[in-house]
Short mmCIF file of all heavy atoms in Angstrom, two decimals:
data_model
loop_
_atom_site.label_atom_id
_atom_site.label_comp_id
_atom_site.label_asym_id
_atom_site.label_seq_id
_atom_site.Cartn_x
_atom_site.Cartn_y
_atom_site.Cartn_z
N THR A 1019 14.79 32.44 -42.12
CA THR A 1019 15.93 33.06 -42.80
C THR A 1019 15.89 34.58 -42.66
O THR A 1019 16.90 35.23 -42.37
CB THR A 1019 15.94 32.66 -44.28
OG1 THR A 1019 15.96 31.23 -44.39
CG2 THR A 1019 17.15 33.24 -45.00
N ARG A 1020 14.69 35.14 -42.83
CA ARG A 1020 14.56 36.60 -42.69
C ARG A 1020 14.80 37.03 -41.25
O ARG A 1020 15.41 38.06 -40.98
CB ARG A 1020 13.17 37.03 -43.16
CG ARG A 1020 12.97 38.55 -43.17
CD ARG A 1020 11.64 38.91 -43.76
NE ARG A 1020 10.56 38.39 -42.91
CZ ARG A 1020 9.26 38.44 -43.26
NH1 ARG A 1020 8.91 38.94 -44.42
NH2 ARG A 1020 8.35 37.96 -42.45
N ALA A 1021 14.33 36.20 -40.30
CA ALA A 1021 14.55 36.55 -38.90
C ALA A 1021 16.03 36.53 -38.55
O ALA A 1021 16.53 37.38 -37.81
CB ALA A 1021 13.78 35.58 -38.00
N MET A 1022 16.76 35.53 -39.09
CA MET A 1022 18.20 35.45 -38.81
C MET A 1022 18.96 36.61 -39.45
O MET A 1022 20.03 36.99 -38.99
CB MET A 1022 18.75 34.13 -39.31
CG MET A 1022 18.35 32.93 -38.45
SD MET A 1022 18.96 33.09 -36.76
CE MET A 1022 20.71 33.11 -37.05
N GLY A 1023 18.42 37.14 -40.53
CA GLY A 1023 19.08 38.27 -41.17
C GLY A 1023 19.18 39.48 -40.25
O GLY A 1023 20.11 40.30 -40.37
N ASP A 1024 18.25 39.60 -39.31
CA ASP A 1024 18.29 40.74 -38.38
C ASP A 1024 19.46 40.63 -37.41
O ASP A 1024 19.88 41.63 -36.82
CB ASP A 1024 16.98 40.82 -37.61
CG ASP A 1024 15.79 41.07 -38.54
OD1 ASP A 1024 16.01 41.62 -39.64
OD2 ASP A 1024 14.66 40.70 -38.17
N TYR A 1025 19.97 39.39 -37.22
CA TYR A 1025 21.07 39.20 -36.27
C TYR A 1025 22.43 39.18 -36.96
O TYR A 1025 23.46 38.99 -36.30
CB TYR A 1025 20.90 37.86 -35.53
CG TYR A 1025 19.69 37.83 -34.63
CD1 TYR A 1025 18.50 37.24 -35.05
CD2 TYR A 1025 19.73 38.38 -33.35
CE1 TYR A 1025 17.39 37.20 -34.23
CE2 TYR A 1025 18.62 38.34 -32.52
CZ TYR A 1025 17.45 37.76 -32.96
OH TYR A 1025 16.36 37.71 -32.15
N ALA A 1026 22.48 39.37 -38.28
CA ALA A 1026 23.74 39.29 -39.01
C ALA A 1026 24.77 40.30 -38.50
O ALA A 1026 25.96 39.96 -38.37
CB ALA A 1026 23.49 39.49 -40.51
N PRO A 1027 24.41 41.55 -38.17
CA PRO A 1027 25.44 42.48 -37.67
C PRO A 1027 26.13 41.99 -36.40
O PRO A 1027 27.33 42.18 -36.23
CB PRO A 1027 24.64 43.76 -37.41
CG PRO A 1027 23.47 43.68 -38.33
CD PRO A 1027 23.10 42.23 -38.38
N ILE A 1028 25.37 41.34 -35.51
CA ILE A 1028 25.97 40.83 -34.27
C ILE A 1028 26.98 39.74 -34.60
O ILE A 1028 28.09 39.71 -34.04
CB ILE A 1028 24.88 40.30 -33.34
CG1 ILE A 1028 23.92 41.43 -32.95
CG2 ILE A 1028 25.48 39.66 -32.10
CD1 ILE A 1028 22.76 40.98 -32.10
N LEU A 1029 26.64 38.84 -35.52
CA LEU A 1029 27.55 37.76 -35.88
C LEU A 1029 28.81 38.29 -36.54
O LEU A 1029 29.93 37.80 -36.28
CB LEU A 1029 26.83 36.77 -36.81
CG LEU A 1029 25.64 36.02 -36.19
CD1 LEU A 1029 24.96 35.16 -37.24
CD2 LEU A 1029 26.11 35.16 -35.03
N TRP A 1030 28.66 39.29 -37.39
CA TRP A 1030 29.86 39.87 -38.03
C TRP A 1030 30.76 40.55 -37.01
O TRP A 1030 31.99 40.50 -37.10
CB TRP A 1030 29.45 40.87 -39.11
CG TRP A 1030 29.04 40.20 -40.39
CD1 TRP A 1030 27.80 40.12 -40.92
CD2 TRP A 1030 29.92 39.52 -41.28
NE1 TRP A 1030 27.83 39.42 -42.10
CE2 TRP A 1030 29.12 39.03 -42.35
CE3 TRP A 1030 31.28 39.28 -41.30
CZ2 TRP A 1030 29.65 38.32 -43.40
CZ3 TRP A 1030 31.81 38.57 -42.35
CH2 TRP A 1030 31.01 38.09 -43.39
N LEU A 1031 30.14 41.17 -36.00
CA LEU A 1031 30.93 41.81 -34.95
C LEU A 1031 31.72 40.76 -34.16
O LEU A 1031 32.91 40.94 -33.85
CB LEU A 1031 30.01 42.60 -34.01
CG LEU A 1031 30.70 43.29 -32.81
CD1 LEU A 1031 31.73 44.30 -33.31
CD2 LEU A 1031 29.66 43.98 -31.92
N LEU A 1032 31.07 39.65 -33.84
CA LEU A 1032 31.76 38.57 -33.14
C LEU A 1032 32.90 38.01 -33.99
O LEU A 1032 33.98 37.69 -33.47
CB LEU A 1032 30.77 37.45 -32.80
CG LEU A 1032 29.73 37.77 -31.72
CD1 LEU A 1032 28.75 36.61 -31.58
CD2 LEU A 1032 30.42 38.04 -30.38
N PHE A 1033 32.67 37.89 -35.29
CA PHE A 1033 33.71 37.39 -36.18
C PHE A 1033 34.93 38.31 -36.19
O PHE A 1033 36.09 37.88 -36.14
CB PHE A 1033 33.15 37.22 -37.59
CG PHE A 1033 34.16 36.76 -38.60
CD1 PHE A 1033 34.59 35.44 -38.60
CD2 PHE A 1033 34.71 37.65 -39.52
CE1 PHE A 1033 35.54 35.02 -39.53
CE2 PHE A 1033 35.64 37.22 -40.44
CZ PHE A 1033 36.06 35.91 -40.44
N ALA A 1034 34.68 39.62 -36.25
CA ALA A 1034 35.78 40.59 -36.26
C ALA A 1034 36.58 40.52 -34.97
O ALA A 1034 37.81 40.55 -34.97
CB ALA A 1034 35.23 42.00 -36.48
N CYS A 1035 35.87 40.38 -33.83
CA CYS A 1035 36.57 40.25 -32.55
C CYS A 1035 37.40 38.97 -32.51
O CYS A 1035 38.52 38.95 -31.97
CB CYS A 1035 35.55 40.26 -31.41
SG CYS A 1035 34.71 41.84 -31.18
N GLY A 1036 36.89 37.91 -33.10
CA GLY A 1036 37.63 36.65 -33.13
C GLY A 1036 38.89 36.74 -33.95
O GLY A 1036 39.95 36.22 -33.56
N VAL A 1037 38.81 37.41 -35.11
CA VAL A 1037 40.00 37.56 -35.95
C VAL A 1037 41.06 38.37 -35.21
O VAL A 1037 42.26 38.03 -35.21
CB VAL A 1037 39.63 38.22 -37.29
CG1 VAL A 1037 40.87 38.58 -38.08
CG2 VAL A 1037 38.74 37.28 -38.09
N ALA A 1038 40.63 39.42 -34.55
CA ALA A 1038 41.58 40.24 -33.81
C ALA A 1038 42.21 39.45 -32.66
O ALA A 1038 43.42 39.52 -32.42
CB ALA A 1038 40.88 41.49 -33.26
N GLY A 1039 41.39 38.67 -31.94
CA GLY A 1039 41.92 37.86 -30.85
C GLY A 1039 42.91 36.82 -31.34
O GLY A 1039 43.94 36.56 -30.68
N THR A 1040 42.63 36.22 -32.50
CA THR A 1040 43.56 35.23 -33.06
C THR A 1040 44.90 35.86 -33.40
O THR A 1040 45.97 35.29 -33.13
CB THR A 1040 42.93 34.59 -34.31
OG1 THR A 1040 41.68 33.99 -33.98
CG2 THR A 1040 43.86 33.54 -34.90
N ALA A 1041 44.86 37.04 -33.97
CA ALA A 1041 46.11 37.73 -34.31
C ALA A 1041 46.92 38.06 -33.07
O ALA A 1041 48.14 37.88 -33.02
CB ALA A 1041 45.80 39.00 -35.10
N LEU A 1042 46.25 38.53 -32.02
CA LEU A 1042 46.95 38.86 -30.78
C LEU A 1042 47.54 37.60 -30.14
O LEU A 1042 48.66 37.62 -29.61
CB LEU A 1042 46.00 39.55 -29.81
CG LEU A 1042 45.57 40.98 -30.18
CD1 LEU A 1042 44.55 41.51 -29.21
CD2 LEU A 1042 46.80 41.91 -30.23
N ALA A 1043 46.79 36.49 -30.16
CA ALA A 1043 47.29 35.24 -29.59
C ALA A 1043 48.52 34.74 -30.35
O ALA A 1043 49.48 34.24 -29.75
CB ALA A 1043 46.20 34.19 -29.61
N ALA A 1044 48.51 34.86 -31.69
CA ALA A 1044 49.65 34.44 -32.48
C ALA A 1044 50.89 35.26 -32.14
O ALA A 1044 52.00 34.73 -31.98
CB ALA A 1044 49.33 34.55 -33.97
N LEU A 1045 50.71 36.57 -31.98
CA LEU A 1045 51.83 37.43 -31.65
C LEU A 1045 52.39 37.10 -30.27
O LEU A 1045 53.61 36.97 -30.07
CB LEU A 1045 51.40 38.90 -31.71
CG LEU A 1045 52.47 39.94 -31.33
CD1 LEU A 1045 53.67 39.85 -32.27
CD2 LEU A 1045 51.86 41.35 -31.33
N GLY A 1046 51.51 36.94 -29.28
CA GLY A 1046 51.97 36.64 -27.93
C GLY A 1046 52.67 35.29 -27.84
O GLY A 1046 53.69 35.14 -27.17
N SER A 1047 52.14 34.28 -28.52
CA SER A 1047 52.76 32.96 -28.48
C SER A 1047 54.12 32.96 -29.18
O SER A 1047 55.04 32.26 -28.78
CB SER A 1047 51.84 31.92 -29.13
OG SER A 1047 51.57 32.27 -30.48
N TRP A 1048 54.26 33.80 -30.21
CA TRP A 1048 55.56 33.89 -30.90
C TRP A 1048 56.62 34.48 -29.97
O TRP A 1048 57.74 34.00 -29.89
CB TRP A 1048 55.41 34.74 -32.16
CG TRP A 1048 56.70 34.91 -32.91
CD1 TRP A 1048 57.35 33.99 -33.65
CD2 TRP A 1048 57.50 36.09 -32.96
NE1 TRP A 1048 58.51 34.49 -34.17
CE2 TRP A 1048 58.63 35.81 -33.77
CE3 TRP A 1048 57.35 37.38 -32.41
CZ2 TRP A 1048 59.61 36.75 -34.03
CZ3 TRP A 1048 58.33 38.32 -32.68
CH2 TRP A 1048 59.45 38.00 -33.47
N LEU A 1049 56.25 35.51 -29.23
CA LEU A 1049 57.17 36.11 -28.28
C LEU A 1049 57.52 35.13 -27.16
O LEU A 1049 58.68 35.04 -26.73
CB LEU A 1049 56.55 37.39 -27.69
CG LEU A 1049 56.32 38.54 -28.70
CD1 LEU A 1049 55.59 39.69 -28.02
CD2 LEU A 1049 57.65 39.02 -29.29
N LEU A 1050 56.52 34.38 -26.67
CA LEU A 1050 56.77 33.41 -25.61
C LEU A 1050 57.66 32.28 -26.10
O LEU A 1050 58.55 31.80 -25.38
CB LEU A 1050 55.44 32.85 -25.10
CG LEU A 1050 55.51 31.80 -24.00
CD1 LEU A 1050 56.16 32.39 -22.74
CD2 LEU A 1050 54.13 31.26 -23.68
N ALA A 1051 57.45 31.83 -27.34
CA ALA A 1051 58.25 30.74 -27.89
C ALA A 1051 59.72 31.12 -27.99
O ALA A 1051 60.62 30.31 -27.74
CB ALA A 1051 57.71 30.34 -29.26
N LYS A 1052 59.98 32.39 -28.35
CA LYS A 1052 61.37 32.83 -28.45
C LYS A 1052 62.06 32.75 -27.09
O LYS A 1052 63.25 32.43 -26.99
CB LYS A 1052 61.43 34.27 -28.98
CG LYS A 1052 61.12 34.39 -30.47
CD LYS A 1052 61.35 35.81 -30.94
CE LYS A 1052 62.82 36.19 -30.82
NZ LYS A 1052 63.10 37.56 -31.33
N ARG A 1053 61.30 33.01 -26.02
CA ARG A 1053 61.90 33.03 -24.69
C ARG A 1053 62.24 31.64 -24.17
O ARG A 1053 63.23 31.46 -23.46
CB ARG A 1053 60.93 33.72 -23.72
CG ARG A 1053 61.45 33.81 -22.28
CD ARG A 1053 60.50 34.62 -21.44
NE ARG A 1053 60.96 34.68 -20.07
CZ ARG A 1053 60.66 33.80 -19.11
NH1 ARG A 1053 59.89 32.77 -19.42
NH2 ARG A 1053 61.11 33.94 -17.88
N ILE A 1054 61.43 30.62 -24.51
CA ILE A 1054 61.63 29.29 -23.93
C ILE A 1054 62.26 28.29 -24.91
O ILE A 1054 62.51 27.14 -24.55
CB ILE A 1054 60.28 28.72 -23.44
CG1 ILE A 1054 59.31 28.52 -24.59
CG2 ILE A 1054 59.67 29.60 -22.39
CD1 ILE A 1054 57.99 27.89 -24.17
N THR A 1055 62.55 28.72 -26.12
CA THR A 1055 63.11 27.79 -27.11
C THR A 1055 64.47 27.27 -26.70
O THR A 1055 64.75 26.06 -26.80
CB THR A 1055 63.20 28.48 -28.48
OG1 THR A 1055 61.91 28.84 -28.92
CG2 THR A 1055 63.85 27.55 -29.49
N ARG A 1056 65.35 28.16 -26.21
CA ARG A 1056 66.72 27.75 -25.91
C ARG A 1056 66.78 26.71 -24.79
O ARG A 1056 67.44 25.68 -24.94
CB ARG A 1056 67.57 28.98 -25.58
CG ARG A 1056 69.05 28.66 -25.38
CD ARG A 1056 69.86 29.90 -25.15
NE ARG A 1056 69.86 30.77 -26.33
CZ ARG A 1056 69.18 31.91 -26.43
NH1 ARG A 1056 68.45 32.33 -25.41
NH2 ARG A 1056 69.22 32.63 -27.52
N PRO A 1057 66.09 26.90 -23.64
CA PRO A 1057 66.12 25.86 -22.61
C PRO A 1057 65.52 24.54 -23.08
O PRO A 1057 66.01 23.45 -22.73
CB PRO A 1057 65.32 26.47 -21.45
CG PRO A 1057 65.39 27.95 -21.67
CD PRO A 1057 65.42 28.12 -23.16
#
């Protein structure tokens, strides 16, 4: 448990990158959906 505590900053950094990537993917898919909805 103490050894894993040393890696906590790396995991939090990965989590932050994941949240940002999810937000960008949601925005891009929303724009794409608007373009192809009518056909």
Side-chain angles (χ1 to χ4, degrees):
T1019 303
R1020 185 175 64 187
M1022 286 299 298
D1024 297 335
Y1025 294 99
I1028 298 177
L1029 296 176
W1030 281 110
L1031 178 61
L1032 290 175
F1033 178 75
C1035 293
V1037 171
T1040 302
L1042 289 175
L1045 177 61
S1047 59
W1048 179 73
L1049 295 175
L1050 179 62
K1052 286 186 64 178
R1053 180 175 179 271
I1054 63 177
T1055 298
R1056 185 176 295 106

